[in-house]
Amino acid sequence: MNSPSTQFVPSRRMGIYEPIHQIGMWAETFKSNGNPHTSASVIVELDNKIENKSETASHEMLAPSNKYDQEATKPIDKIQRRLAQNREAARKSRLRKKAYVQQLENSRLKLIQLEHELERTRQQGLYMGGGLEGDHLGFSGAVNSGIAAFEMEYGHWMEEQNRQICELRTALNAHISDIELRILVESGMSHYFELFRMKSTAAKADVFYVMSGMWKTSSERFFSWIGGFRPSELLKVLVPQLDSLTDQQFLEVYNLKQSCQQAEDALSQGMEKLQEIVSATVAAGQLGEGSYVPQVATAMEKLEALVSFVNQADHLQQETLLQMSRILTTRQAARGLLALGEYFQRLRALSTLWATRPREPA
């Protein structure tokens, strides 16, 4: 108890020790062991522990920084991916909505077309080789395959026409580039040229069918001219729908309309002359004799000129469309094609309303 010993002297502050006393305790411990190597090894061991703790502390200080950097970038990448997913979802939603609206529009147009076909069927019955001939209670012989093929092709043509009208309307509202709009304009022009080709083939099968407009609705037949429409009348409809025509464009359109009227008058006069010739041929000889084979055979030869009249009238319409496409800008031409298509749609809708109008009882 009286032997000298190293005692731990508490600091004046509670909980904090003095380094000098701590070193004194370490020295006393070394002395009591009496082994210098042991003391040295303990010092080395302590140094190593201190170094290890220092390195561990430094790593622990650096690790959170890297971890925080990674965690900081994770939300940004996640937000970007989520934004990209939202944009893609929105794009798909717009496409689905557009497809749905297009489907509704196509269904509406198909319904109108079916109503027109029913009306045409009620009015004229099944077309077979020129309609009701011979016995008024029966049909003539076999079905005219050329006309049947034309009616089928015209049905497909109408479906494509309605699709192109919707596409043009969407493109003009979306303000797409002129290059993209030019593709739609050329497609629309080619579509009308295809109709002229179909009519030319059908006229060879039965020119009376084409000229009578039996393949059209009643309101379209009301404005019919040699199996089609007068180009000058269509120009009157289209020009007010075109925006910001220049003075030069107005002059060129006016000259084109004058040329169309002159050509229309020439074709109409030719048709009147042909009617006079055919009428005179059929009435040749003594009526009432009961023999008319020679007169009818001669008249048949005269009627072959009707096919040429139909082709010339369609050629005039085609040239009018081409000239208008050259006069107008791309956007004006697209607007003109849209107006032309909607004009025909309104005529067909007029036929449907007229056929389904309320009627007073007989």
Side-chain angles (χ1 to χ4, degrees):
M1 295 295 293
N2 296 328
S3 61
S5 61
T6 304
Q7 295 180 354
F8 176 76
V9 180
S11 173
R12 284 184 298 267
R13 295 181 181 180
M14 294 298 295
I16 301 178
Y17 61 89
E18 292 288 349
I20 297 176
H21 295 288
Q22 183 66 39
I23 293 172
M25 292 176 64
W26 290 344
E28 187 66 24
T29 304
F30 296 152
K31 287 180 182 179
S32 62
N33 289 335
N35 189 347
H37 296 289
T38 302
S39 63
S41 63
V42 171
I43 293 173
V44 171
E45 183 179 355
L46 290 172
D47 291 341
N48 291 335
K49 287 182 179 181
I50 293 172
E51 291 178 359
N52 292 336
K53 288 183 179 180
S54 176
E55 293 178 358
T56 303
S58 64
H59 285 301
E60 289 177 352
M61 291 293 293
L62 292 174
S65 176
N66 296 333
K67 182 178 180 181
Y68 293 149
D69 291 342
Q70 294 175 359
E71 291 180 354
T73 58
K74 282 182 180 180
I76 297 175
D77 296 339
K78 187 176 181 180
I79 291 172
Q80 290 178 348
R81 286 196 302 270
R82 185 169 296 174
L83 289 175
Q85 292 173 356
N86 291 341
R87 286 193 296 269
E88 181 66 17
R91 186 184 70 84
K92 291 181 179 179
S93 177
R94 288 193 298 270
L95 291 176
R96 285 194 299 269
K97 181 179 178 181
K98 181 179 178 181
Y100 178 70
V101 173
Q102 182 68 42
Q103 183 180 2
L104 290 178
E105 180 68 15
N106 291 339
S107 299
R108 184 183 69 84
L109 295 174
K110 286 181 179 179
L111 179 60
I112 293 175
Q113 184 179 353
L114 287 174
E115 291 175 350
H116 294 165
E117 291 175 356
L118 288 173
E119 177 195 359
R120 193 161 57 240
T121 302
R122 286 195 303 267
Q123 291 177 355
Q124 68 191 36
L126 178 65
Y127 180 83
M128 303 182 69
L132 295 172
E133 295 176 355
D135 186 359
H136 68 282
L137 296 177
F139 292 99
S140 64
V143 174
N144 190 322
S145 60
I147 298 303
F150 171 78
E151 288 188 341
M152 183 179 298
E153 286 182 335
Y154 183 69
H156 297 321
W157 187 91
M158 283 294 302
E159 291 179 0
E160 177 63 18
Q161 173 75 354
N162 293 330
R163 188 194 67 79
Q164 288 189 2
I165 290 173
C166 294
E167 194 173 14
L168 273 173
R169 186 184 298 111
T170 302
L172 288 171
N173 292 334
H175 304 288
I176 65 175
S177 65
D178 286 352
I179 296 177
E180 295 174 296
L181 210 55
R182 170 55 60 181
I183 296 175
L184 297 179
V185 170
E186 292 177 352
S187 177
M189 298 282 289
S190 299
H191 191 59
Y192 279 106
F193 299 161
E194 176 65 15
L195 176 60
F196 299 144
R197 183 200 64 77
M198 290 162 48
K199 287 176 60 181
S200 177
T201 303
K204 295 176 183 178
D206 190 344
V207 67
F208 285 113
Y209 173 84
V210 175
M211 290 193 62
S212 65
M214 295 175 66
W215 45 283
K216 297 181 178 182
T217 60
S218 55
S219 59
E220 288 177 300
R221 288 196 300 271
F222 180 70
F223 295 98
S224 182
W225 174 76
I226 314 182
F229 289 88
R230 291 180 178 270
S232 61
E233 294 298 324
L234 291 182
L235 288 177
K236 292 180 182 178
V237 173
L238 293 182
V239 171
Q241 304 297 323
L242 302 176
D243 299 329
S244 62
L245 287 177
T246 64
D247 293 340
Q248 181 65 28
Q249 286 177 321
F250 268 117
L251 178 61
E252 293 180 0
V253 171
Y254 175 79
N255 292 335
L256 177 61
K257 185 168 65 174
Q258 293 297 109
S259 300
C260 288
Q261 289 176 342
Q262 293 175 4
E264 291 164 9
D265 292 342
L267 285 174
S268 296
Q269 292 173 7
M271 284 287 297
E272 292 175 0
K273 185 65 176 178
L274 180 61
Q275 288 175 348
E276 293 176 1
I277 293 173
V278 172
S279 177
T281 302
V282 172
Q286 185 66 36
L287 293 175
E289 294 179 351
S291 177
Y292 46 79
V293 174
Q295 292 86 352
V296 172
T298 304
M300 284 281 292
E301 296 176 0
K302 306 294 184 182
L303 286 175
E304 292 179 359
L306 280 176
V307 177
S308 175
F309 278 102
V310 171
N311 290 336
Q312 290 181 61
D314 283 349
H315 180 71
L316 179 59
Q317 296 175 43
Q318 181 173 340
E319 283 299 315
T320 303
L321 288 175
L322 285 172
Q323 290 298 326
M324 284 296 291
S325 68
R326 296 189 185 103
I327 294 172
L328 302 176
T329 64
T330 300
R331 198 160 295 274
Q332 288 172 337
R335 176 64 184 166
L337 285 175
L338 176 60
L340 184 63
E342 288 190 350
Y343 175 70
F344 290 138
Q345 282 184 340
R346 293 184 182 185
L347 286 180
R348 291 189 285 270
L350 176 61
S351 296
T352 302
L353 293 175
W354 177 257
T356 58
R357 74 190 186 281
R359 295 178 176 84
E360 295 182 0

